[in-house]
């Protein structure tokens, strides 16, 4: 339902946003090849969010099941960050300027939404006293020792801000972020299905290698909805893109990745599963740090890359956009495959 909702909903959004003049502006300093995209309808992330929300709601109505608190919290985070991204996109298109919300306001908004999410994630214990999030940092399972509550909240906020901005940086070429997120959310669907089958709530069949995860089956449904919505959106977002997801989509999808890492107890594994986003964000950090360091030490600032994030560097080397996207998708796929392999291997050898 999410896939077809995004597929047909995006087509309607393209026509509506075009009539409303909601075209994407571009900032100075981007490669010349991006200038032809000026005016492409943006805020397509609205369709992804609506498709996921409606498909989950309809699934619950069809099956007559109550929504789980874990799924509700994931959807809250996705929608909340989507609102912040929408405000940013709206200011950009109405002013026809690349500056939307001031950076500090955007971060404050992310922290506020993330803070509410964190409090909720550490509340609502089930009959086994298990909350959606845990007071531990996790890799494939929780890693002792238990952290103080304040540090847990800070850790959750760092994950949300980092992941949402990582996807935002990756969303610079047609289809790059949508295709990558499809793979990662698909991986989390597999992880949650496996955790459900091996849940400690079903210890008699799962055995001593079981997973202490709250609501894994319902989380798998949301992950599949997100993967399907991104895949449907990709039909229209592939080069030449008819619509751009904008910050509305990028911030919400990044928040969704963080939420799944937190709830599935695979927080540090997200570094590998979302390896492409880590590379993109890391290239920007390295570029900025090197520029400032050389300016301070030599008086003449230098750059590691021709431009950042990394996909812009390869564009300025003369690589075609489709070539970059395909090769970056391969990197994203290898990272996802590696993450899933490590997750399964840990269960086998445990």
């Amino acid at each position: 339902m999410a896939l077809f909702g995004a597929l047909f909903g995006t087509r309607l959004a393209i026509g509506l946003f075009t009539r409303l003049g909601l075209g994407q502006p571009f900032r100075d300093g981007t490669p010349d090849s991006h200038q032809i995209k000026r005016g492409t309808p943006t805020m397509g992330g609205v369709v992804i969010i609506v498709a996921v929300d409606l498909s989950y709601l309809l699934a619950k109505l069809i099956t007559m099941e109550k929504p789980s608190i874990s799924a509700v919290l994931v959807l809250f985070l996705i929608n909340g960050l989507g609102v912040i991204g929408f405000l940013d996109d709206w200011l950009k298109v109405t002013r026809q300027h690349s500056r939307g919300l001031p950076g500090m306001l955007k971060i404050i908004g992310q922290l506020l939404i993330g803070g509410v999410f964190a409090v909720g994630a550490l509340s609502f214990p089930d009959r086994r006293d298990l909350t959606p999030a845990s007071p531990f940092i996790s890799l494939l399972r929780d890693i002792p020792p238990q952290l103080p509550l304040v540090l847990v909240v800070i850790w959750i906020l760092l994950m949300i801000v980092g992941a949402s901005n990582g996807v935002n940086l990756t969303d610079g070429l047609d289809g790059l972020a949508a295709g990558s997120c499809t793979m990662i959310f698909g991986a989390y669907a597999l992880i949650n299905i496996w955790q459900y089958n091996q849940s400690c709530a079903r210890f008699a069949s799962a055995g001593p290698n079981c997973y202490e995860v709250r609501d894994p089956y319902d989380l798998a449904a949301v992950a599949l909805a997100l993967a399907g919505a991104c895949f449907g959106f990709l039909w229209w977002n592939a080069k030449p893109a008819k619509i751009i997801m904008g910050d509305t989509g990028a911030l919400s999808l990044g928040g969704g990745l963080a939420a799944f890492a937190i709830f599935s107890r695979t927080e540090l594994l997200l570094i590998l599963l979302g390896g492409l986003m880590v590379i993109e964000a890391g290239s920007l950090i390295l570029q900025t740090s090197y520029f400032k360091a050389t300016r301070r030490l030599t008086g003449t600032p230098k750059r590691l890359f021709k431009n950042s994030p990394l996909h812009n560097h390869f564009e300025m080397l003369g690589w075609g956009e489709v070539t970059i996207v395909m090769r970056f998708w391969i990197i994203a796929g290898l990272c996802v495959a590696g993450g899933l392999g490590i997750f399964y291997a840990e269960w086998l050898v445990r």
Side-chain angles (χ1 to χ4, degrees):
M1 288 187 289
L3 189 155
F4 286 107
L7 183 63
F8 295 108
T10 303
R11 180 64 189 91
L12 296 175
I14 292 170
L16 175 61
F17 292 175
T18 300
R19 288 194 298 273
L20 293 176
L22 303 179
Q24 174 74 22
F26 282 89
R27 71 180 188 274
D28 296 334
T30 55
D32 293 339
S33 59
H34 286 216
Q35 300 308 317
I36 63 173
K37 302 177 185 180
R38 187 185 300 273
T40 303
T42 187
M43 295 190 290
V46 170
V47 182
I48 297 175
I49 295 171
V50 171
V52 172
D53 289 345
L54 290 181
S55 65
Y56 181 77
L57 177 62
L58 287 172
K60 289 302 174 183
L61 291 175
I62 292 169
T63 59
M64 299 299 292
E65 294 178 354
K66 293 182 179 180
S68 68
I69 187 61
S70 298
V72 170
L73 285 169
V74 173
L75 294 175
F76 165 78
L77 183 62
I78 290 170
N79 282 267
L81 294 178
V83 169
I84 296 170
F86 180 85
L87 292 173
D88 188 58
D89 289 333
W90 181 261
L91 290 175
K92 290 176 183 176
V93 297
T94 53
R95 296 172 178 174
Q96 277 302 295
H97 196 281
S98 61
R99 293 176 183 169
L101 282 175
M104 184 56 65
L105 280 182
K106 191 186 295 187
I107 294 294
I108 290 173
Q110 291 173 297
L111 293 176
L112 288 175
I113 297 296
V116 175
F117 169 83
V119 171
L122 294 167
S123 307
F124 306 105
D126 62 7
R127 66 179 187 277
R128 295 188 304 118
D129 204 33
L130 194 64
T131 55
S134 76
F136 298 89
I137 292 177
S138 59
L139 174 58
L140 304 168
R141 302 171 191 262
D142 287 337
I143 303 172
Q146 179 174 325
L147 300 178
L149 182 62
V150 174
L151 291 183
V152 177
V153 172
I154 292 173
W155 172 244
I156 291 175
L157 292 177
L158 287 174
M159 287 198 64
I160 292 171
V161 173
S164 58
N165 286 292
V167 176
N168 199 17
L169 289 171
T170 306
D171 183 34
L173 299 180
D174 294 349
L176 181 56
S180 302
C181 285
T182 300
M183 290 185 264
I184 303 171
F185 283 121
Y188 271 116
L190 293 175
I191 287 172
N192 286 134
I193 290 171
W194 183 260
Q195 289 176 331
Y196 170 75
N197 290 330
Q198 306 296 328
S199 172
C200 292
R202 308 163 68 196
F203 185 82
S205 60
N209 292 347
C210 64
Y211 295 93
E212 283 286 6
V213 176
R214 173 84 181 265
D215 310 315
Y217 201 61
D218 212 27
L219 286 173
V222 179
L224 284 170
L226 281 159
C230 289
F231 200 49
F233 179 79
L234 182 60
W235 180 271
W236 303 103
N237 185 235
K239 187 175 176 63
K242 303 297 183 183
I243 191 169
I244 298 169
M245 71 168 65
D247 281 20
T248 308
L251 295 183
S252 60
L253 293 177
L257 293 178
F260 277 100
I262 293 164
F263 286 177
S264 63
R265 312 302 199 257
T266 56
E267 294 162 352
L268 297 179
L269 188 65
L270 181 60
I271 297 172
L272 179 55
L273 290 172
L276 178 63
M277 286 76 173
V278 174
I279 292 170
E280 291 275 56
S283 68
L284 181 62
I285 294 170
L286 286 173
Q287 178 87 317
T288 304
S289 300
Y290 187 74
F291 185 88
K292 291 181 177 179
T294 53
R295 181 175 58 186
R296 186 181 302 112
L297 295 174
T298 67
T300 304
K302 298 179 181 179
R303 291 179 170 84
L304 279 174
F305 310 106
K306 289 183 177 296
N307 205 335
S308 60
L310 194 59
H311 58 259
N312 285 342
H313 169 76
F314 288 108
E315 277 193 290
M316 297 187 75
L317 287 178
W319 288 27
E321 183 171 353
V322 173
T323 300
I324 299 171
V325 171
M326 292 300 295
R327 289 176 177 174
F328 276 39
W329 276 354
I330 292 171
I331 294 172
L334 290 172
C335 290
V336 167
L340 285 174
I342 291 172
F343 176 81
Y344 183 59
E346 185 269 349
W347 183 84
L348 285 178
V349 302
R350 189 174 174 83

